[in-house]
């Protein structure tokens, strides 16, 4: 096993790539979506050329560089090129509506934009004025780095082919030194309202997380990381920057493979991946539909999950199929990245029905749990979780009032209100109870919708479950959406009896609607806003129509 020492803590994310390119230039850094390998030296060279191009266009420290790209080596070259130019990168979901893209571009004032032809066409059609002066058209993965992919007609002669950007000669960066407080990226998250919010991540924020990962997970140059998360999702900070720090490989997972449980399981086996990180829903689908018993995933040594609650029944099944790795439950909103963690004891007992705790604060974070009056919560009590430390974001782009509303000052420290309710449990750290914005009051009782979902998952026919609340003049209605494990669906009476056995009467859903699959966001989480739009009028009537 290779024992090359990774670099000491830098002040800048690009330093991880640069140090590995200097230390192990010929090692494979990235395996692209088409299986093509790219060495550290080659990735660093492409990033330097993108940086030189950006500087020739006047992009420098404090600027923002946006990209609307499929995951691939080209996107990584743009990401690191922006960082090397001193700018912050702004990754935008290539599958999102053009109107959302327009809002982000206008909101953060990008100086340069790298985008796929189809996305540029959509933007030109609705808002050509939203485009910055510098626009680069990038071919989709598989088109080849030398193929410009074709510029939309409205941008002919204005958009620069990506191959021309890569043709710029490398040039040393001159001027202001890098600072840990500089902005590294802006990650847009819709939160509960659907309005994009730009989470400003500094180099100090991201580096503190990368260093914590290195401290806890004993990563080596021989590791082979998965890259399932899209680049606009905060999980990608681990996939990309942690792997490059250690001179290890990161394998970019094609979008079609990432959405197919069986193909994904084969990918993990064929690539001999050692480190996996994703939302629990991805792992749950593989546990149920991936045919894990027929593939060899014995190289896996770490399985990390974050972003939502992992239903215990699916986690148990996954551990039964993959008994070898260490499992970690990582918790944290985009604004803090991972701030608490817990190693999951395996095997998962057959009689366990409650999700595992989110654990103790990471070494680079401090946590505080306060009740509604702002008093610290004692053992056994529930309250809002606040986080302080170097990983906590700088604020929301262009929204100082919203930023101020999410922070408090206490004991000389700045604390971020996560909006999550936790229970303080001695010996286990924190147990996630739910979101403040997913708590409703019905018949005088406070109800956490996640607890209703947990109860539904205990039904033997439940593959997936999600619950939404609908506010109406007569009160709050709770509507459950279910995906059955088989073609047979439980009857309304069976579901009511099940809920009566596992939930208080106040938590029992008013309606049960069946879907073939739950809608999900581009980051793999359940899309509750889409579900709310599916609730039909009269969904609380005794015999709701299944969909």
């Amino acid at each position: 096993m290779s024992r090359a020492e990774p670099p000491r803590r830098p002040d800048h994310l690009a330093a991880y790539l640069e140090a590995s390119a200097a230390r192990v230039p010929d090692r494979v850094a990235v395996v692209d979506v088409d299986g093509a390998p790219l060495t550290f030296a080659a990735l660093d060279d492409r990033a330097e050329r993108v940086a030189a191009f950006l500087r020739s266009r006047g992009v420098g420290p404090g600027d923002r560089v946006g990209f609307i790209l499929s995951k691939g080596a080209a996107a990584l070259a743009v990401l690191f090129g922006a960082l090397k130019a001193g700018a912050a990168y702004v990754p935008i979901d290539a599958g999102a509506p053009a109107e959302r893209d327009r809002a982000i571009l206008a909101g953060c004032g990008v100086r340069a934009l790298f985008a796929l032809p189809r996305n540029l066409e959509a933007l030109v059609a609705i808002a050509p004025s939203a485009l910055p002066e510098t626009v680069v058209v990038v071919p989709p993965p598989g088109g080849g780095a030398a193929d410009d992919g074709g510029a939309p007609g409205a941008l002919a002669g204005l958009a620069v082919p990506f191959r021309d950007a890569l043709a710029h000669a490398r040039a040393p960066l001159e001027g202001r030194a890098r600072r840990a407080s500089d902005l590294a990226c802006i990650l847009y998250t819709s939160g509960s309202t659907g309005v994009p919010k730009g989470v400003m991540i500094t180099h100090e924020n991201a580096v503190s997380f990368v260093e914590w990962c290195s401290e806890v997970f004993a990563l080596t140059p021989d590791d082979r990381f998965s890259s399932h998360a899209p680049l606009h999702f905060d999980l990608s900070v681990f996939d990309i920057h942690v792997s490059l720090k250690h001179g290890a490989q990161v394998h970019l997972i094609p979008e079609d493979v990432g959405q197919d449980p069986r193909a994904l399981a084969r990918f993990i086996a064929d690539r001999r991946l050692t480190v996996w990180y994703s939302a629990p829903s991805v792992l749950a689908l593989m546990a149920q539909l991936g045919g894990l018993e027929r593939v060899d995933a014995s190289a896996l040594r770490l399985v990390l999950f974050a972003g939502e609650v992992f239903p215990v029944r699916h986690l148990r099944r996954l551990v039964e199929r993959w008994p070898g790795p260490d499992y970690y439950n990582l918790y944290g909103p985009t604004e803090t990245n991972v701030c608490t963690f817990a190693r999951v004891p395996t095997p998962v007992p057959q009689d366990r029905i409650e999700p595992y705790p989110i654990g103790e604060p990471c070494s680079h974070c401090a946590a505080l749990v306060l009740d509604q009056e702002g008093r610290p919560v004692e053992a056994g009590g529930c309250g809002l979780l606040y986080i302080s430390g170097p990983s906590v974001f700088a604020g929301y782009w262009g929204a100082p009032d919203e930023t101020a509303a999410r922070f408090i000052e206490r004991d000389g420290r700045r604390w971020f209100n996560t909006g999550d309710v936790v229970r303080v449990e001695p010996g286990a750290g924190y147990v996630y109870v739910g979101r403040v914005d997913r708590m409703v009051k019905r018949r005088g009782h406070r109800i956490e919708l996640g607890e209703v979902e947990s109860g539904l998952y205990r039904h033997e026919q439940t593959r997936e479950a999600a619950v939404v609340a609908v506010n109406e003049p007569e009160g709050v209605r709770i509507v459950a959406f279910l995906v059955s494990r088989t073609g047979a669906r439980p009857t309304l009476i069976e579901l009511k009896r099940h809920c009566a056995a596992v939930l208080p009467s106040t938590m029992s859903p008013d309606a049960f609607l069946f879907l073939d699959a739950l809608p999900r966001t581009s980051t793999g989480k359940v899309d509750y806003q889409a579900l709310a739009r599916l609730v039909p009028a009269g969904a609380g009537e005794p015999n709701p129509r299944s969909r």
Side-chain angles (χ1 to χ4, degrees):
M1 179 178 290
S2 175
R3 294 294 182 186
E5 289 295 323
R8 288 183 292 180
R9 179 176 181 137
D11 291 328
H12 197 278
L13 279 178
Y16 290 128
L17 171 59
E18 293 163 351
S20 290
R23 191 174 69 254
V24 287
D26 298 327
R27 283 183 66 99
V28 172
V30 178
V31 180
D32 207 350
V33 291
D34 61 358
L38 190 68
T39 66
F40 283 95
L43 177 58
D44 189 60
D45 180 68
R46 292 186 188 182
E48 286 284 357
R49 293 176 184 277
V50 171
F53 165 77
L54 289 171
R55 292 196 293 271
S56 74
R57 295 299 182 108
V59 175
D63 289 330
R64 279 78 56 205
V65 174
F67 60 84
I68 313 175
L69 302 173
S70 302
K71 187 190 295 181
L76 294 186
V78 173
L79 184 159
F80 282 103
L83 293 176
K84 284 172 175 286
Y89 68 90
V90 185
I92 303 172
D93 182 5
E99 181 55 39
R100 188 177 191 276
D101 297 345
R102 182 210 61 77
I104 292 173
L105 293 173
C108 68
V110 301
R111 287 288 304 274
L113 173 66
F114 294 72
L116 298 169
R118 67 173 186 268
N119 296 99
L120 286 176
E121 289 171 351
L123 282 168
V124 168
I126 67 166
S129 62
L131 295 174
E133 183 177 345
T134 297
V135 176
V136 180
V137 60
V138 181
D147 177 13
D148 65 16
L155 288 177
L158 298 177
V160 178
F162 187 52
R163 62 183 179 187
D164 290 356
L166 288 179
H168 261 69
R170 297 174 56 137
L173 176 62
E174 299 177 355
R176 191 176 64 123
R178 294 171 170 176
R179 299 186 306 196
S181 59
D182 287 344
L183 197 59
C185 61
I186 304 176
L187 302 181
Y188 275 83
T189 175
S190 63
S192 60
T193 65
V195 178
K197 293 189 300 184
V199 178
M200 296 190 292
I201 307 295
T202 68
H203 287 278
E204 180 185 26
N205 296 153
V207 165
S208 70
F209 168 67
V210 172
E211 295 297 314
W212 173 80
C213 293
S214 301
E215 167 192 318
V216 171
F217 298 124
L219 303 162
T220 79
D222 295 311
D223 276 315
R224 293 178 293 281
F225 287 66
S226 66
S227 175
H228 183 276
L231 296 176
H232 60 273
F233 192 14
D234 61 315
L235 271 65
S236 67
V237 174
F238 174 90
D239 301 339
I240 304 303
H241 299 293
V242 176
S243 64
L244 296 185
K245 166 187 167 67
H246 288 273
Q249 289 182 16
V250 58
H251 291 247
L252 307 184
I253 299 175
E255 184 176 347
D256 59 338
V257 172
Q259 296 176 352
D260 182 338
R262 289 183 180 274
L264 199 51
R266 291 194 297 271
F267 185 96
I268 292 168
D270 293 345
R271 298 295 181 89
R272 303 292 292 167
L273 298 185
T274 63
V275 181
W276 176 269
Y277 189 28
S278 75
S281 57
V282 177
L283 291 165
L285 286 175
M286 276 198 287
Q288 298 171 85
L289 305 173
L292 301 186
E293 66 278 3
R294 294 189 291 275
V295 298
D296 178 11
S298 59
L300 273 176
R301 67 179 191 85
L302 280 175
V303 174
L304 315 176
F305 53 87
E308 57 190 353
V309 175
F310 202 149
V312 169
R313 65 183 299 173
H314 299 326
L315 177 58
R316 181 185 300 111
R317 185 181 180 90
L318 180 69
V319 172
E320 289 171 351
R321 298 293 187 270
W322 288 345
D326 292 333
Y327 291 79
Y328 284 87
N329 185 9
L330 307 183
Y331 160 83
T334 302
E335 290 89 342
T336 70
N337 211 306
V338 175
C339 55
T340 76
F341 76 113
R343 183 172 176 177
V344 177
T346 56
V348 178
Q350 291 297 321
D351 60 351
R352 186 177 181 93
I353 59 175
E354 297 299 326
Y356 278 96
I358 59 173
E360 302 283 354
C362 303
S363 60
H364 66 308
C365 297
L368 185 64
V369 182
L370 302 177
D371 64 17
Q372 292 182 336
E373 284 72 43
R375 298 171 302 200
V377 171
E378 298 181 354
C382 292
L384 275 171
L385 178 63
Y386 291 78
I387 299 295
S388 180
S391 73
V392 177
F393 78 132
Y396 298 111
W397 179 268
D401 292 342
E402 186 172 3
T403 298
R406 294 297 296 272
F407 283 93
I408 63 171
E409 294 288 335
R410 192 182 183 99
D411 302 325
R413 303 184 70 165
R414 180 173 175 260
W415 296 87
F416 172 69
N417 177 359
T418 64
D420 289 330
V421 177
V422 299
R423 184 173 70 251
V424 181
E425 190 167 301
Y430 303 124
V431 175
Y432 179 82
V433 174
R435 291 283 306 166
V436 167
D437 51 25
R438 293 207 73 221
M439 285 189 172
V440 298
K441 199 166 188 177
R442 186 168 72 155
R443 303 170 199 160
H445 297 271
R446 292 193 66 84
I447 297 170
E448 164 51 42
L449 299 180
E451 188 175 348
V452 181
E453 293 172 351
S454 180
L456 292 169
Y457 268 110
R458 293 168 63 180
H459 193 285
E460 61 181 8
Q461 282 295 329
T462 300
R463 172 177 292 163
E464 294 184 284
V467 174
V468 298
V470 181
N471 291 307
E472 295 195 344
E474 62 271 21
V476 172
R477 288 187 297 127
I478 296 177
V479 180
F481 290 87
L482 300 170
V483 178
S484 177
R485 291 179 61 192
T486 65
R489 297 173 175 176
T491 66
L492 179 62
I493 293 176
E494 289 172 337
L495 288 170
K496 287 289 189 180
R497 285 175 177 169
H498 170 76
C499 290
V502 300
L503 293 170
S505 61
T506 54
M507 291 188 180
S508 182
D510 299 291
F512 301 85
L513 304 177
F514 283 92
L515 301 174
D516 293 331
L518 295 181
R520 296 193 176 275
T521 67
S522 62
T523 60
K525 298 180 182 180
V526 173
D527 190 339
Y528 286 101
Q529 295 170 50
L531 286 176
R533 293 192 292 269
L534 294 177
V535 176
E541 296 174 358
N543 187 25
R545 177 173 61 88
S546 293
R547 295 171 67 89

